[in-house]
Amino acid sequence: MQQKIGIIEEVHGPVVDIVCDRLPPLHQALLCPGNGEPYVLEVFRELDPRRVRAIALHATAGLRRGLPVHDSGGPLTVPVGPECLGRLLDVFGRPLDDGPPLPSTLLRPIVAAPGPLSEASPSESVLATGIKVVDLLCPFVRGGKTGLFGGAGVGKTVLITEFMHAVIQLHQGVSVFAGIGERIREGHELWHDMRDAGVLPRTVMVFGQMDESPGVRFRVGLTGLTYAEYLRDTLGKDVLLLVDNVFRFVQAGSEISGLLGRMPATVGYQPTLISEVAELQERISSTRTGSITSVQAVYVPADDMTDPAVSAIFAHLDTMVVLSRTQAAQGIYPAVDPLQSSSKLMDRHFLGDRHYHTAEGVREHLARYRELEDIIAMLGVESLSAADQKVVNRARRLQRYLTQPFFVVSQHTGIAGATVPLETTLTDCDAFLTGRFDDLPEEACYMRGSMDEARA
């Protein structure tokens, strides 16, 4: 039986002040009786030797002064087990898909320390995705962290969903999707897409929606990470952890910081921004039993890559995929900026000489084309030297070749999705760079898989 720890003194929106007989530790989950299930409160601040300030993880309608508060005995826990695969859950591990509740025989706390360094294994291999521009120019690190940076409406959610589809199909791994502050429409569509694609049985989906308490949006990422850790440690799986959107995790932390009465810091963000991002990111690691490969969508406010939240997230990443509004406006999808995107694996010792030299050749052609775009716009391509005209023509074909039809949007576009092995991508790009496709019309390169399809 839970022990009574105190009574509610004040309720201000999601903020609840509690007078305690003894102070509970920070991040302790407290329970308050309600009309059905108890309210869950998480301790965030000690006000004085007898009072704590907590954030409610539910709507606070029905809470009032004088209600008893009980100690749960630890941080918030969620039920885990093999039954979690194929399920749609909330921050408490309760079903959102009208299925039966998960058995509560095994519980894991969502607030936990990162694993010991002695158990961590290095991430030094490439995770192929079948997406040409990613595998060629900013390859994913198996067991590493990848960020998809972009403003509103440039295709972050579509790309992250395609990664989930690709990894399940290519590598037969399992996925955990954490939707932080998602719109209900996005969650509903994603659930149906995963079910129709046949990959839902190998996926756990955890949602904290946009209309929920900031405490829920702040913790739902840790709930998803807890399920990923369980699949890695207990079932020995290679796990793909997808987070959409990490910026909303930062926003929820900023809301909580304001509710707790902290002074804002740089650009109005919370003073604890760096440590809160690290609390989430440092637990994403690989061990001897399995790996967690993370792909995180990061909203970039006003397309400003120097924003403090973006910088704090970027410091933890191995691969950075930048989505460009300019690319999207030209109909280049996925709208990956090939010059701003990068990976720590872009090294000849990891990739081998062929991949490294091909990627550098593609970057050089695209960079030279970008330098010449203003001259072409003013004077026309005929004003360039013969050598520059050749570079521009090849760069334009490469730019269109690096587009790709996706499986997850094929029913909307009417174009069947394509997966391209890395070896095929390298062969095709070598052919572009050496001029073997100079006579091919540009439109023949657009929205194809391999160039074998274009020839056909």
Side-chain angles (χ1 to χ4, degrees), residues 27-82:
H27 305 309
Q28 191 86 337
L30 308 179
L31 305 173
C32 185
N35 292 328
E37 293 190 0
Y39 295 92
V40 180
L41 318 172
E42 183 177 352
V43 177
F44 272 93
R45 188 174 179 185
E46 296 176 351
L47 299 174
D48 59 40
R50 289 207 58 216
R51 294 188 307 144
V52 296
R53 180 162 289 172
I55 299 292
L57 302 184
H58 302 270
T60 51
L63 285 181
R64 64 182 187 277
R65 296 181 66 185
L67 280 180
V69 178
H70 298 88
D71 188 356
S72 70
L76 180 65
T77 58
V78 292
V80 294

Side-chain angles (χ1 to χ4, degrees), residues 145-156:
K145 296 186 272 282
T146 297
L148 301 181
F149 293 84
V154 293
K156 294 187 299 297

Side-chain angles (χ1 to χ4, degrees), residues 197-420:
V199 298
L200 191 59
R202 301 182 67 83
T203 304
V204 185
M205 303 178 75
V206 183
F207 279 94
Q209 294 171 43
M210 194 174 272
D211 64 338
E212 296 193 72
S213 155
V216 169
R217 286 179 275 122
F218 189 61
R219 288 306 187 206
V220 71
L222 294 184
T223 298
L225 182 52
T226 302
Y227 280 106
E229 288 175 333
Y230 166 77
L231 294 169
R232 177 196 67 191
D233 298 339
T234 308
L235 301 186
K237 300 284 190 182
D238 287 330
V239 184
L240 178 68
L241 172 65
L242 301 118
V243 185
D244 189 9
N245 182 311
V246 183
F247 182 78
R248 295 199 192 114
F249 163 77
V250 172
Q251 278 185 314
S254 183
E255 286 181 54
I256 288 174
S257 182
L259 291 168
L260 295 175
R262 296 184 189 135
M263 286 289 287
T266 314
V267 199
Y269 287 110
Q270 61 270 42
T272 51
L273 170 66
I274 304 293
S275 60
E276 286 173 1
V277 170
E279 179 185 6
L280 177 73
Q281 300 286 357
E282 290 304 303
R283 283 174 59 187
I284 302 172
S285 62
S286 300
T287 64
R288 298 185 185 95
T289 55
S291 66
I292 298 179
T293 303
S294 170
V295 182
Q296 307 166 24
V298 184
Y299 169 70
V300 180
D303 293 340
D304 178 15
M305 293 296 290
T306 63
D307 186 86
V310 174
S311 300
I313 296 163
F314 173 65
H316 293 271
L317 301 176
D318 302 304
T319 301
M320 180 169 148
V321 180
V322 179
L323 300 180
S324 158
R325 199 171 299 281
T326 306
Q327 297 278 96
Q330 294 174 356
I332 306 296
Y333 288 103
V336 176
D337 187 319
L339 303 182
Q340 281 191 285
S341 303
S342 61
S343 171
K344 77 171 192 180
L345 281 195
M346 285 304 294
D347 185 300
R348 70 177 75 247
H349 300 294
F350 290 119
L351 301 179
D353 285 337
R354 185 188 180 207
H355 185 169
Y356 181 78
H357 287 305
T358 302
E360 287 300 294
V362 170
R363 275 189 207 276
E364 286 169 10
H365 276 64
L366 294 173
R368 183 60 179 157
Y369 175 42
R370 188 166 294 182
E371 288 173 9
L372 296 170
E373 277 183 324
D374 290 341
I375 296 174
I376 295 169
M378 290 186 290
L379 303 176
V381 73
E382 298 80 12
S383 63
L384 302 177
S385 67
D388 279 343
Q389 284 189 36
K390 187 182 293 184
V391 168
V392 167
N393 288 333
R394 290 176 183 174
R396 287 177 62 85
R397 285 166 175 76
L398 278 166
Q399 190 181 51
R400 282 150 182 75
Y401 170 72
L402 292 176
T403 61
Q404 190 165 340
F406 282 171
F407 290 96
V408 293
V409 291
S410 58
Q411 62 183 11
H412 304 294
T413 61
I415 307 172
T419 295
V420 184

